[in-house]
Amino acid sequence: MEPDQKKPRFLLKKTENELNELLENKESSNTKKATKSAANVFRNYCTERGKESNFESFSTEELANTLKYFYAEATKKDGEFYKKSSLNCIREGLARYLKKERKINIIEEPEFDSANEVFRAQLVELKRQGKGGTEHKEPVEEKDLKKLYSNCDVLTPKGLQQKVWLDIMIYLIRRGRENLRQMTKTTFAVKVDAAGNRYVTQTVDEMDKNHRENCDRNATIGEGRMYENPQSIHCPVKTFEMYTSKLHPDLDALWQRPREGHLTENDTIWYCNSPVGEKKLGNMMKDMSAEYKLSKLYTNHCIRSTAIQILNLAGYNDREIMKISGHKSVTSLQSYHDRITEKCQQSISQTISNAVTKVGAQEATTPIDKSMEHVNKSPISPVSSVFLRSPPGSPLTLNIQQSTTTSTNQSNSFPFSFKPGQMTFQNSNVTFNFQHR
């Protein structure tokens, strides 16, 4: 080779099929499932309406007209209408599918304006029917969170794994199920900051729901830190190091199946040479809720809600929270802020109860006050008699008959409890005598 001749840089050549595969892998598996599901729902609808199942071959006019009726008539297998969010997902899935198969946009192109107008009207109708709400994951209540941490026995393989998993999920504000099965021993590491404080942080970038083709450094995740707390028995760094030291050396997965039987700290390996399954990891919080008898069955995503709520109540701003949670916009974060804690809900209810009780008490005393108005304007009555009548074992009822200078008799009953004796009642001298009749 001549000295000035350059060695070729671009030796790798992609085929058309390889490029298509590259494009196919751009979307997440969940997005692919949603797209396929939406196409199948619409295909089944077309078949039941006596149309060709191959809707990909419909003319634009026929497709738009079919979609118009589909949006208003689409129901689940049980005949119930979809929720507002579900119908929206179906339309978005159809839009992705037809954009790929037909190179048309059923959301933005004017030929579909009429269909989209029906779609928006149906969303209003679904909301009117009570199908407009979005089910957000509830934060873990404070008492349940304390119960979780107090029950995770770090001296057992299972308890230690639960504790470390819980720490990573809440401190680093992880999503419920994403990438848990893909985590390895090198996904997280213990580091030291400039002040000499040790912490656990994520060291490997990963692809998730909000971070796929976006390479903006401000949009990456993994900026959360889990600092040590040496004075606490729940120190996350200490338990993380203990957990990783007990993992099976021949398996790279971070979440390994706990070994059964009695093990002590002297045993070097606490976990099997096989990973915890994806389904098991996805149901970790649900299983822990049942095992430790929490107030409700929480999901993995509830931990994410918990962390965001804790930081929001502590006064951290949205930008700071988003740096750890990985949210792309303040709007998506807002749904977590809008929720109130169970303690706050209880306080609100108690405040209303106190106000209602106060009003009720005022209303109960009003007849007494009004009945005695004439007494305030008259001298002390010369004669007042009180009879307490009640069957044995029943509450006593106070009957007051009062004579005034105007010779007017007033009779009122009050559910009060008095002791026998002489006392002044308003401007009257009253003697109380108890007897059952």
Side-chain angles (χ1 to χ4, degrees), residues 89-140:
C89 287
I90 290 174
R91 186 179 73 146
E92 290 178 351
L94 273 174
R96 287 192 299 269
Y97 182 80
L98 289 168
K99 186 175 182 179
K100 177 182 177 182
E101 298 296 325
R102 289 278 303 273
K103 303 297 185 291
I104 57 176
N105 191 324
I106 63 172
I107 295 178
E108 296 182 0
E109 292 184 12
E111 290 84 357
F112 298 91
D113 284 349
S114 179
N116 289 322
E117 189 64 29
V118 171
F119 172 78
R120 287 187 288 270
Q122 181 65 6
L123 294 186
V124 174
E125 178 60 27
L126 291 175
K127 189 171 184 178
R128 186 179 292 117
Q129 295 179 13
K131 297 180 177 293
T134 301
E135 294 182 3
H136 295 292
K137 299 302 181 181
E138 293 181 278
V140 179

Side-chain angles (χ1 to χ4, degrees), residues 115-391:
N116 289 322
E117 189 64 29
V118 171
F119 172 78
R120 287 187 288 270
Q122 181 65 6
L123 294 186
V124 174
E125 178 60 27
L126 291 175
K127 189 171 184 178
R128 186 179 292 117
Q129 295 179 13
K131 297 180 177 293
T134 301
E135 294 182 3
H136 295 292
K137 299 302 181 181
E138 293 181 278
V140 179
E141 297 299 336
E142 185 177 343
K143 290 182 179 179
D144 284 336
L145 193 60
K146 290 179 179 178
K147 197 172 184 180
L148 269 176
Y149 272 99
S150 63
N151 277 286
C152 289
D153 185 1
V154 297
L155 297 181
T156 64
K158 181 181 179 181
L160 177 61
Q161 185 177 79
Q162 289 176 336
K163 164 66 166 57
V164 174
W165 179 86
L166 189 58
D167 282 340
I168 288 176
M169 295 296 286
I170 195 167
Y171 278 92
L172 305 183
I173 318 183
R174 300 284 311 186
R175 284 186 177 82
R177 295 170 174 263
E178 264 188 344
N179 299 323
L180 291 175
R181 179 62 182 80
Q182 287 72 40
M183 290 180 179
T184 68
K185 295 173 181 175
T186 58
T187 301
F188 307 97
V190 177
K191 294 188 176 183
V192 182
D193 66 12
N197 300 310
R198 302 167 71 242
Y199 62 91
V200 175
T201 189
Q202 183 172 332
T203 57
V204 178
D205 198 7
E206 60 186 352
M207 183 171 61
D208 65 9
K209 175 183 175 182
N210 290 337
H211 305 88
R212 302 189 72 80
E213 75 278 5
N214 195 335
C215 297
D216 181 4
R217 66 180 181 86
N218 293 320
T220 58
I221 61 174
E223 294 193 37
R225 293 184 178 185
M226 192 162 68
Y227 272 90
E228 67 179 344
N229 186 6
Q231 289 74 34
S232 173
I233 59 173
H234 299 302
C235 175
V237 174
K238 181 180 178 180
T239 50
F240 176 81
E241 289 182 319
M242 181 179 177
Y243 175 72
T244 53
S245 70
K246 300 292 185 181
L247 291 175
H248 198 288
D250 297 334
L251 185 66
D252 197 35
L254 179 63
W255 308 116
Q256 303 176 359
R257 284 197 307 109
R259 288 177 58 189
E260 298 179 357
H262 178 69
L263 296 171
T264 67
E265 289 188 70
N266 295 327
D267 293 299
T268 57
I269 301 176
W270 279 16
Y271 300 91
C272 302
N273 188 14
S274 60
V276 178
E278 186 173 1
K279 185 176 180 180
K280 177 68 175 178
L281 289 170
N283 291 326
M284 279 284 282
M285 191 58 192
K286 184 178 179 181
D287 293 341
M288 291 171 69
S289 299
E291 180 180 355
Y292 300 131
K293 296 179 173 58
L294 303 187
S295 63
K296 62 194 74 172
L297 290 179
Y298 295 102
T299 67
N300 290 4
H301 201 86
C302 291
I303 306 177
R304 181 173 171 85
S305 299
T306 305
I308 293 173
Q309 186 181 77
I310 290 172
L311 296 180
N312 180 52
L313 293 175
Y316 291 93
N317 62 47
D318 291 337
R319 184 188 63 81
E320 292 166 335
I321 298 175
M322 288 166 61
K323 281 290 185 179
I324 303 175
S325 69
H327 283 90
K328 293 178 69 175
S329 67
V330 174
T331 303
S332 60
L333 192 67
Q334 198 63 44
S335 63
Y336 295 90
H337 293 350
D338 291 341
R339 304 169 199 171
I340 58 177
T341 63
E342 190 172 82
K343 185 181 292 185
C344 183
Q345 290 173 326
Q346 186 177 3
S347 177
I348 289 172
S349 176
Q350 188 60 49
T351 300
I352 295 174
S353 293
N354 292 341
V356 171
T357 303
K358 185 176 180 181
V359 170
Q362 290 175 343
E363 290 178 349
T365 59
T366 299
I368 303 175
D369 297 336
K370 288 184 178 181
S371 68
M372 303 303 293
E373 284 179 357
H374 70 283
V375 178
N376 296 330
K377 300 175 183 178
S378 62
I380 296 177
S381 303
V383 180
S384 296
S385 60
V386 179
F387 299 94
L388 298 177
R389 295 186 181 134
S390 175

Side-chain angles (χ1 to χ4, degrees), residues 3-171:
D4 58 346
Q5 187 176 354
K6 292 183 179 181
K7 184 178 179 179
R9 286 178 56 191
F10 308 107
L11 298 176
L12 181 64
K13 294 183 178 181
K14 292 281 188 180
T15 64
E16 187 68 26
N17 288 336
E18 288 174 328
L19 290 179
N20 290 334
E21 184 178 353
L22 187 66
L23 292 172
E24 185 73 18
N25 292 333
K26 178 178 178 291
E27 293 183 341
S28 69
S29 59
N30 286 338
T31 300
K32 292 177 185 177
K33 289 178 183 177
T35 302
K36 183 179 180 180
S37 176
N40 287 337
V41 170
F42 187 55
R43 198 180 308 281
N44 291 335
Y45 172 82
C46 291
T47 302
E48 286 194 18
R49 290 295 182 268
K51 296 177 178 291
E52 290 290 334
S53 62
N54 186 26
F55 63 86
E56 296 89 346
S57 63
F58 287 2
S59 66
T60 301
E61 182 180 358
E62 183 181 7
L63 181 61
N65 188 62
T66 306
L67 283 171
K68 181 171 65 175
Y69 285 93
F70 170 72
Y71 292 146
E73 298 171 349
T75 56
K76 297 183 291 185
K77 291 182 179 179
D78 60 4
E80 290 289 323
F81 280 107
Y82 287 100
K83 287 187 176 181
K84 181 180 172 182
S85 57
S86 298
L87 185 61
N88 192 56
C89 287
I90 290 174
R91 186 179 73 146
E92 290 178 351
L94 273 174
R96 287 192 299 269
Y97 182 80
L98 289 168
K99 186 175 182 179
K100 177 182 177 182
E101 298 296 325
R102 289 278 303 273
K103 303 297 185 291
I104 57 176
N105 191 324
I106 63 172
I107 295 178
E108 296 182 0
E109 292 184 12
E111 290 84 357
F112 298 91
D113 284 349
S114 179
N116 289 322
E117 189 64 29
V118 171
F119 172 78
R120 287 187 288 270
Q122 181 65 6
L123 294 186
V124 174
E125 178 60 27
L126 291 175
K127 189 171 184 178
R128 186 179 292 117
Q129 295 179 13
K131 297 180 177 293
T134 301
E135 294 182 3
H136 295 292
K137 299 302 181 181
E138 293 181 278
V140 179
E141 297 299 336
E142 185 177 343
K143 290 182 179 179
D144 284 336
L145 193 60
K146 290 179 179 178
K147 197 172 184 180
L148 269 176
Y149 272 99
S150 63
N151 277 286
C152 289
D153 185 1
V154 297
L155 297 181
T156 64
K158 181 181 179 181
L160 177 61
Q161 185 177 79
Q162 289 176 336
K163 164 66 166 57
V164 174
W165 179 86
L166 189 58
D167 282 340
I168 288 176
M169 295 296 286
I170 195 167
Y171 278 92

